Structures are given as C-alpha cells and as structure tokens.
Amino acid sequence: MKLETWVYKQALELYPRAYRDQFGQAMLETYTDALKAAKLEGKTWGFHWNTFLDTVKSVARATAEVKNYNPMARVTAVLGLVLLVIIVWVQNFPSDLLVWRLFFTISILYCTGASFFANCLYEMRQKWIMPLMLIVSALFVFTHWCVAMFYPSQYANFYSPQMNPYANVPVLVLGYLAKVLSPLILVLFVGGIALDTIEKRKMLPLNRFSLSYVVLVYVLGAIGLQNQSVMFMFKILATGFGVVWFALMIFICFRLWQQPRASQLKLTKP
Amino acid sequence: MPPKPTEGPPLSPAAFHILLSLAENEQHGYGIIKTVLERSSGEVTLGPGTLYGNLKRFIELAWIEELEARPAADLDDERRRYYRLTKHGQRIAQLEAERLESLVRHARAARLLPSLTIGTKREVA
C-alpha cells in the first residue's frame, strides 16, 4: 500500500465509529481515485493540502454531530474538574486528612467528570483505546500494588515525598509515575464502565475487576494503616487480585488482538 | 404537495453542487467530485470528507438515497456506492435554484448584471 493511502486510512480512524462504518470504505476508494487523478495532473501537493484541511474540518464536524455521548458526563465534566482541583489540594496538604485524601482520590464524581473525555476518546478511536487502557491500567495497578505491598505504612503519604522517609529514587519514580498515571487510568477505565452502563452492554470483565481492585487497595489500605490484621488480609487479597488481574489483562489483550480493526479497511480491485 | 422541508435553502455551495450533480443522473462519490469540479471550472473542489459529510446528511434528510440496484454492467464499478436524488431532494434543489434565480433578478434590477434582452438570452447559472 502506498504511503499516502496508509496515512489517509489512519486519518479515517479519527472519524466517529458509526460514521466510519458507514462511509469509511467509500471514502477510502474515493480518496484513491482522486489521488490517481491528482498525480496524473501533477497536482499532488495541492491535493494533499486540500485533503488535510478537508479531513480536519469534516472530522471536527462529524465528531460534533455525534449524538450518543453521555449527556450526564457533559454536565459532570465541569464538576469533575472542580473536584480534581480539590483532590490535588487535599493530597498535597500536610495534615491528618488521611481518610479524606483516600476518599477523595477514589471519588466517583472525579471519575464521572473525567469519563466525559474517555467517552470522546472511545467514540473516536474505539479500537486502539482498549489496548491502551489495558497497558496504562496495568502500570497503574502494578505501581499501587508495589507501593502498598512494600511501603504499607507510608502508602497514604506516598504522594507527598516530603512526608515519606523512604523517599529514595526508585520510590519517588514509582510515586510520580503513579501520580501522573492515576488520573489517566481512572479516566480510561471509569469511562469504559460508564459507556458499558450507558449502552447497556455487559461490563467488560477487566473494568469490573479493575474497579474492585482499586477500591480494595484504597479502602483496605486505609483501614489496614490502623489495624495490622486487616493489613495482613489486605496483602493476601491484593496479591491474589493482582495475579488474576494480570492474567485477565493478558487474555483480553489477546482477544482484542484477534478482533478486526477499522484500520483494516482494504482497497478492492476495480 | 411535497413534504415541508425540515432543513432547506439556503444551501452551502458544496451542498447545492452535489444535489445538482445528482439531479442529472445517479452517481458515485468520485463521479460527483469530478462533475462538480468540471461544472465549477475547478473552483469547487470537494474532498472525501466534505462529500461524504454532505451525503450522510442528505440521506438522513431523505434528500438522496443509495441505489440498491446496480447500473448497467458495462457502466458499473463494483467498488462504488451509487446515489440518486429523491423527490424531496429534487424539491429542495429546485427551491435553492429559485432562490438563486431571484437573487440574480435582483442583481439585474440593481444593474449589477446586464439585463436580458430578447434574442440575447444568457445563461445565469
């Protein structure tokens, strides 16, 4: 396949899913015919520039016309951003607000606000967002698992390096990784859960499992900081969940890999 | 009585050009692009995004429909999806043409265009 056609096929991925399913193939055929004509006339640069502008405009228009975004997520987007600011403030506030920090971090409102963006991403790039979600969530959960397992007493204060006596370089790298990735993973998998619920689909096993795992880590971790026997149970459960979670992730990645993708549109021979 | 258009004139130049191409005969996507380019002497260049964005809207508004039956075998290209104007779409194109004609009449009255005299009829399209 020629480079131009390959690039245009990738650009088709930006269109909303329903639009792409309906017209993707026809657009690709039309593009290749127009490209051939432009090459014959020696006007390829102008053609590519016009196609670029045309694609940007029509992707924006097609995306704006999508009607099945979650309207509630639109409303909660603003609320979610406000909550995000509060969470950042609470997490960095050096006081005894331990439980509140944890509570705010797992706040479902924070998740629903962010789910709006995941909604958009999911609609636009349905096929690759799933593997990305898996990879990022794997990193996130693994990071939290490591920290909870090896530094349980510091877990709550982990995000505040000035309060963490174990703040050596690897720990800080993990910490900052978790800090950066946390919002992203929450956006991604909570967005997935929201969509599954809205579209009345069966929730992806990974989503269900990730949510329960994160809740477990936060809630039991918070209680375990006050109680040693709970901490022991937490360690056992977190490890078990972690192992099953990774097995599930590998299985789902394998299944996704086998599914056809929108980018696999093929040019038919005339 | 044709159904009252829920969306109609004024149309964008690209939309009117597409309807005009389909008013002549049923066409596929690239055929529409070529017709519009020729008719506008290269002034209106439709990209696939603009073309199919409009076609999608027209299908939803029932101005055009996709042909299920294929054209004659010697004219057919199996890759293509052919579209044709519906009666409703024809009415919309007609309304837009009348609107443009009325504008041209006003332009003549304002002497922005030379007035038509018998025997020197000019095309105003």
Side-chain angles (χ1 to χ4, degrees), chain A residues 50-87:
Chain A
N50 285 336
T51 306
F52 170 73
L53 293 179
D54 177 68
T55 305
V56 170
K57 273 192 286 185
S58 55
V59 164
R61 200 177 298 129
T63 308
E65 281 171 6
V66 171
K67 292 181 182 116
N68 60 353
Y69 283 155
N70 175 9
M72 203 171 141
R74 279 176 199 262
V75 177
T76 53
V78 177
L79 185 62
L81 286 174
V82 174
L83 280 165
L84 184 63
V85 173
I86 297 172
I87 291 160

Side-chain angles (χ1 to χ4, degrees), chain A residues 111-159:
Chain A
C111 300
T112 51
S115 76
F116 169 72
F117 301 104
N119 224 340
C120 299
L121 283 171
Y122 178 90
E123 183 58 42
M124 287 164 70
R125 299 187 178 91
Q126 182 212 3
K127 293 297 178 187
W128 65 259
I129 200 73
M130 299 300 287
L132 179 72
M133 185 175 93
L134 293 171
I135 293 162
V136 176
S137 58
L139 280 171
F140 169 76
V141 175
F142 181 67
T143 309
H144 274 258
W145 179 80
C146 286
V147 176
M149 289 301 289
F150 300 121
Y151 302 101
S153 61
Q154 296 304 316
Y155 187 48
N157 291 331
F158 186 77
Y159 294 131

Side-chain angles (χ1 to χ4, degrees), chain A residues 1-255:
Chain A
M1 185 193 298
K2 287 181 181 150
L3 178 67
E4 299 101 318
T5 314
W6 182 84
V7 171
Y8 192 71
K9 259 171 84 167
Q10 302 313 307
L12 286 176
E13 292 282 318
L14 299 170
Y15 284 93
R17 189 167 23 120
Y19 188 100
R20 201 174 50 213
D21 291 347
Q22 192 180 0
F23 292 112
Q25 189 70 51
M27 288 173 79
L28 186 64
E29 303 287 0
T30 305
Y31 170 80
T32 49
D33 285 340
L35 177 64
K36 275 181 213 157
K39 278 187 175 170
L40 284 175
E41 291 172 18
K43 295 178 180 172
T44 43
W45 282 109
F47 172 78
H48 289 314
W49 176 242
N50 285 336
T51 306
F52 170 73
L53 293 179
D54 177 68
T55 305
V56 170
K57 273 192 286 185
S58 55
V59 164
R61 200 177 298 129
T63 308
E65 281 171 6
V66 171
K67 292 181 182 116
N68 60 353
Y69 283 155
N70 175 9
M72 203 171 141
R74 279 176 199 262
V75 177
T76 53
V78 177
L79 185 62
L81 286 174
V82 174
L83 280 165
L84 184 63
V85 173
I86 297 172
I87 291 160
V88 171
W89 176 74
V90 168
Q91 281 202 341
N92 291 296
F93 194 78
S95 74
D96 297 328
L97 289 168
L98 174 69
V99 178
W100 288 105
R101 269 181 225 171
L102 295 166
F103 172 76
F104 271 111
T105 309
I106 200 65
S107 163
I108 200 71
L109 285 171
Y110 164 48
C111 300
T112 51
S115 76
F116 169 72
F117 301 104
N119 224 340
C120 299
L121 283 171
Y122 178 90
E123 183 58 42
M124 287 164 70
R125 299 187 178 91
Q126 182 212 3
K127 293 297 178 187
W128 65 259
I129 200 73
M130 299 300 287
L132 179 72
M133 185 175 93
L134 293 171
I135 293 162
V136 176
S137 58
L139 280 171
F140 169 76
V141 175
F142 181 67
T143 309
H144 274 258
W145 179 80
C146 286
V147 176
M149 289 301 289
F150 300 121
Y151 302 101
S153 61
Q154 296 304 316
Y155 187 48
N157 291 331
F158 186 77
Y159 294 131
S160 302
Q162 68 272 26
M163 296 174 71
N164 185 353
Y166 299 98
N168 53 36
V169 171
V171 168
L172 285 180
V173 167
L174 274 180
Y176 282 116
L177 193 66
K179 194 167 187 173
V180 170
L181 293 179
S182 298
L184 185 58
I185 175 57
L186 286 174
V187 163
L188 292 174
F189 82 73
V190 176
I193 291 167
L195 276 163
D196 287 343
T197 313
I198 293 155
E199 295 179 7
K200 292 180 182 160
R201 278 197 309 252
K202 197 177 168 191
M203 194 187 283
L204 273 178
L206 178 82
N207 284 339
R208 204 182 306 141
F209 209 84
S210 298
L211 186 65
S212 46
Y213 182 71
V214 173
V215 169
L216 177 90
V217 166
Y218 274 105
V219 175
L220 281 185
I223 301 168
L225 289 171
Q226 322 295 329
N227 185 322
Q228 282 305 310
S229 58
V230 175
M231 177 52 78
F232 178 72
M233 190 175 73
F234 162 70
K235 279 186 178 182
I236 301 290
L237 279 173
T239 309
F241 264 68
V243 169
V244 178
W245 192 90
F246 278 109
L248 199 64
M249 191 200 70
I250 292 164
F251 172 72
I252 292 172
C253 272
F254 180 68
R255 291 292 299 271

Side-chain angles (χ1 to χ4, degrees), chain B residues 32-100:
Chain B
I32 297 171
I33 290 179
K34 276 200 302 184
T35 309
V36 171
L37 195 68
E38 283 162 20
R39 184 181 292 118
S40 65
S41 308
E43 277 182 25
V44 180
T45 314
L46 294 175
T50 307
L51 174 70
Y52 284 96
N54 276 294
L55 290 180
K56 181 178 182 289
R57 195 165 60 91
F58 296 166
I59 289 171
E60 284 164 3
L61 292 165
W63 294 0
I64 64 167
E65 59 193 359
E66 193 178 336
L67 279 180
E68 283 176 21
R70 310 297 305 185
D74 54 332
L75 300 172
D76 192 15
D77 181 339
E78 63 177 14
R79 298 177 303 158
R80 309 294 192 187
R81 293 168 69 168
Y82 288 82
Y83 302 92
R84 75 167 160 220
L85 216 54
T86 60
K87 282 189 178 168
H88 185 38
Q90 227 163 3
R91 176 71 186 138
I92 296 290
Q94 198 182 346
L95 286 174
E96 176 67 0
E98 284 169 6
R99 189 186 71 83
L100 293 174

